[in-house]
Amino acid sequence: MMKRRTALRWGILLLVLLTLQTSLFPIFAWQGIAPNFMLLFTVSIGYMCGAWSGAVAGAITGLLQGLATGDFLGVSMFCQAIIGYGVGTFSRTLLKDSLILPAVAVLGATAADYVLTFFFLLLVGYRYPLMYDLVHVLLPMLVWNFVLGYPVHRAVLYVLAKEEKRD
Amino acid sequence: MKKVRREGEEESNRKVWVLIVLAVVLFCLTFLAASGKLSAPVLGRTVSLVLAPFQSVVSFVGQRVYAVGQGVWNVYAVYDQNRMLRNEVEELRVQNLAANEAIAENSRLRALLQYRDASKQFDLVAARVIGREAATWTSMLIIDRGTVMGVHENMPVVTEKGLVGIVVEANLYSSKVRLILDPRDAVGVLVQRPTSRVAGIVEGDPANPGALRMVNVPKGADIVEGDTIVTSGFGGLYPKGLLIGTVEQVQNDEAGLLKYAYIDPAVDFQKLEDVAVIVASREAPPEPLTPPKQTPGTETDPLPESERRKAEVAQEEQAAQTRAIQQAQAQVQAAQQRLQQLQQQQAQAQNINSKPNDAQPNAGEQP
């Protein structure tokens, strides 16, 4: 029962974030770029819950993102799983109550996600103008994720707090 | 203790291997999906089915919020655009006014130019009216041409419509012109109609500034309403044939011995902006004479004689043409000589410039 409620909470949170990412924020996109809530969720989970949880969260959110948006199935899954694991590994010795560190982690995660995706698509055969993308794609992405990283982190903290209370 | 540590190390090694294997599997799955060999249609449809209602609602709300935001922004943008458009309209009005002025000036000057081209017997200097005497608005003008441009006193001033007045004072760069409306001025005139040719004097009417009167007309003179009045050239100041106006009304004077005519001036003195000063005038060249038609058999000018005259005329024309050609050839030769001199000077200048370089021979070249 408790596990079902936990799963429901996380499911609802993921549903809301995915809906916002795919329906609302594309309307207000800046230079065609909208925030990546799935990545922000992964970073928060990895930061708060450790490397494995981060990797699993990244895999799930990446899969959902791939299925919902029609992107290459597996690219987001692969990249976000690695990022979730990486954030979890680096945050082992960091303060969990800090608000600045998750924001910094978001910036790093966004850059890493961009680089991993770029190289993966390069391997598959797609070419992108790197310098142009750095200004017109990565920069708006960094700004969006930095601004919305804190609210997503607060939402994750809220659900985690509810779980702890139940426990 | 050592056993616990060993177990811990084994656990973490296992985790790392699992992680590596999972990463490789994911990598391969991704490549397969990218090449189209792997897909998850059922999963995809399930996710889309679950997400779709939420996406519709959120999208609808988002569109409305965006529309409201756009509306508010548009109001501001429209206000700003309105302000800019008002400024632009003002600027365009000013430009339009200037353009209309330019068009009007263009048409006036074009008319004056046509008059100048048509009046071969006059040498004209175009001038602009830059001032009027305020005391008697219609009788004196100031123009922007003076002695520097060849304008002197007692030179007539005209427009393409007719006679305007005479220069009474010429300074270096401006002159004063007394209009023919001035009662102090008097112009000798003729009725243009060939059957009339009545002479008179036109002067300004003191009782009616802006009007002209033709006086000293004998009572029985042939002058009627509608007659065109032109200068007679008798006074020596105004050349013959300049248009004054048309007769509006003919009246007897109080004494009953003479009559006078009210003249409607050809020139609108209220709208004078560009005029021309006649700095020199000549007699118009006469029309070429044509022999009258002769009745056959009664010719007083027999055919060979007329033919001889024609041949003489043709010879004179040919001689004139030959002289003109010779003059032109002489000018061309002079121009060619001048060109050769210039080329020689240029070559000498080039030789002088290149001499210091030629003094030292380059490496490899034989002196």
Side-chain angles (χ1 to χ4, degrees), chain B residues 42 57 64 75 98 110-111 143-144 180 199 241 243 247 252 332 338:
Chain B
V42 174
V57 170
R64 290 293 162 271
V75 168
R110 200 177 284 275
I143 59 174
D144 66 346
I180 58 174
L243 182 62
V247 175
N252 294 322
V332 165
R338 178 76 188 138

Side-chain angles (χ1 to χ4, degrees), chain A residues 137-161:
Chain A
V137 175
L138 181 59
L139 190 61
M141 224 183 267
L142 285 169
V143 172
W144 269 126
N145 287 353
F146 182 75
V147 166
L148 292 166
Y150 178 70
V152 171
H153 189 65
R154 290 298 300 183
V156 167
L157 284 177
Y158 173 78
V159 175
L160 284 172

Side-chain angles (χ1 to χ4, degrees), chain B residues 156-169:
Chain B
V157 177
V158 297
T159 65
E160 73 281 2
K161 296 225 171 73
L163 180 65
V164 171
I166 194 161
V167 176
V168 293
E169 187 182 311

